[in-house]
């Protein structure tokens, strides 16, 4: 039996994804916590041992380390119902996971981090000037999700998959970054469906 | 037998990835070309039929459409030697593919697009102010690759995988964005190994 250790900052939605993937697939995961605001993941021992990229989450599997939240979720969910049997659907799950990391997270999660944790007054000029572009990018991502969910309950196929799991955390937290979820009623209904899943666990 | 059509702009490294995946797995792919500089992928028929996100590449598989370059490569490479049998290694391939889309492409490909295609004089103030941060981000990504390749020939395991394929295009094109590849000798040697693969095809 494999031992799983999640190297995380519990405020991070990317870290929470991995806890969700473990919970929804009935696997136990230990947790080691870092404070990214204090630079815990930029220290030499972390860079040498856990992730040279200086980022969390990292999923430790016995003595091996797997960075990137969506890769870690994929590892935990292989051979579970969170990954479809159909070849196109499996690639389509990855399509939404790459959309999440490229179009969604850099806008929606970053604005939450800047506005909710750092505080607008503490941002530098360069960050302040990016707020409008990130707001527009995040709203575009939410609009695409809204249109997709207008005619289906889950992102891929007829049941919950890793696509939903990857998109859920930062979408559900988006109001902390100034997004108005009530403008996206199908997204709100999908969030409710996700939170009603039997093995769902909330963020700390 | 499935019909594959690549909806692409041939100047895009993300589109080139999919041609590479087809070539290295011995599959034939038709090509439909768009000019992103002329807004071809923002037109209504493209948004309605090909990709509501207004982006290329999209891999058409018979009558279905799969956006996101790395998801399309995964579809083409499933059951090929480009995806390892080992469960950890398969997730580790995804780790590098997510790294590519999050840490590498937004810095290295974007600077190529801005400096080589748009031209520095034509950038707006907002773009110009991002050049330094994207330069630093791209150099950090190349440094991580250099350190990783110092002790191995390929990113994951003992032979070429989708991890190498996803990282190769924009790395090999990075000098067009002002990066100096000679500062990364292990990366240069890996590029040479990749280009020596039997079924390798060059960019147009």
């Amino acid at each position: 039996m494999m031992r799983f250790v999640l190297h995380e900052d519990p405020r991070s939605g990317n870290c929470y994804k991995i806890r969700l993937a473990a919970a929804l697939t009935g696997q136990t995961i230990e947790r080691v916590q870092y404070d990214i605001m204090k630079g815990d993941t930029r220290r030499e021992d972390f860079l040498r041992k856990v992730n040279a990229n200086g980022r969390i989450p990292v999923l430790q599997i016995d003595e091996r380390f797997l960075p990137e939240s969506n890769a870690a979720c994929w590892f935990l969910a292989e051979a579970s119902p969170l990954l479809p049997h159909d070849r196109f659907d499996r690639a389509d799950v990855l399509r939404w996971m790459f959309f999440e990391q490229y179009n969604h997270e850099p806008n929606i999660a970053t604005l939450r981090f800047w506005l909710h944790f750092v505080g607008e007054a503490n941002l530098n000029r360069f960050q302040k000037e990016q707020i409008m572009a990130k707001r527009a990018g995040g709203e575009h991502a939410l609009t695409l999700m809204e249109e997709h969910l207008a005619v289906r309950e889950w992102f891929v196929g007829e049941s919950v998959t890793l696509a939903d799991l990857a998109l859920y955390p930062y979408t559900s937290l988006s109001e902390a970054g100034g997004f108005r979820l009530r403008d996206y009623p199908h997204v709100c209904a999908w969030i409710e469906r996700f939170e009603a899943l039997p093995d769902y666990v909330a963020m700390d």
Side-chain angles (χ1 to χ4, degrees), chain A:
Chain A
M1 196 161 137
M2 285 177 284
R3 176 183 174 223
F4 297 124
V5 182
L6 174 59
H7 296 262
E8 67 163 351
D9 183 322
R11 294 165 295 190
S12 153
N14 282 326
C15 297
Y16 171 45
K17 275 182 205 168
I18 299 177
R19 285 183 58 226
L20 267 175
L24 295 185
T25 57
Q27 298 174 93
T28 304
I29 199 162
E30 299 164 45
R31 302 165 71 181
V32 177
Q33 301 191 346
Y34 303 82
D35 186 337
I36 54 171
M37 306 288 283
K38 290 191 182 149
D40 285 355
T41 64
R42 309 281 168 175
R43 296 191 213 291
E44 206 197 313
D45 57 334
F46 183 92
L47 297 174
R48 196 179 60 247
K49 188 183 161 198
V50 183
N51 185 7
N53 199 8
R55 303 176 71 90
I56 42 103
V58 175
L59 177 63
Q60 182 183 343
I61 303 157
D62 295 327
E63 301 307 314
R64 300 210 279 183
F65 294 86
L66 184 61
E68 299 294 336
S69 59
N70 287 347
C73 288
W74 188 274
F75 184 90
L76 290 170
E78 271 211 337
S80 87
L82 291 178
L83 280 181
H85 286 288
D86 178 76
R87 179 177 168 191
F88 182 90
D89 284 353
R90 212 160 38 237
D92 209 27
V93 164
L94 280 178
R95 167 260 189 116
W96 287 107
M97 294 174 87
F98 281 107
F99 164 82
E100 191 265 337
Q101 285 288 289
Y102 197 89
N103 288 119
H104 187 285
E105 201 265 13
N107 297 309
I108 294 174
T110 299
L111 282 188
R112 169 177 174 259
F113 183 70
W114 287 356
L115 301 178
H116 188 67
F117 290 106
V118 180
E120 188 161 1
N122 300 317
L123 298 178
N124 62 38
R125 186 178 63 86
F126 183 63
Q127 290 169 320
K128 281 181 187 159
E129 288 189 353
Q130 290 184 67
I131 290 177
M132 268 181 62
K134 288 190 180 289
R135 174 80 56 226
E139 286 171 350
H140 185 239
L142 290 169
T143 300
L144 286 170
M145 291 170 67
E146 177 72 7
E147 289 169 5
H148 191 73
L149 291 169
V151 291
R152 44 179 80 74
E153 295 215 326
W154 304 104
F155 273 88
V156 177
E158 305 296 324
S159 59
V160 62
T161 69
L162 274 192
D164 304 287
L165 188 150
L167 285 163
Y168 165 76
Y170 285 118
T171 304
S172 69
L173 297 166
S174 60
E175 300 212 318
F179 295 94
R180 295 194 314 176
L181 276 176
R182 65 183 176 279
D183 293 346
Y184 310 93
H186 294 107
V187 171
C188 291
W190 163 81
I191 287 173
E192 283 185 25
R193 278 193 293 282
F194 193 91
E195 293 177 352
L197 291 170
D199 296 309
Y200 172 81
V201 289
M203 205 164 178
D204 289 351

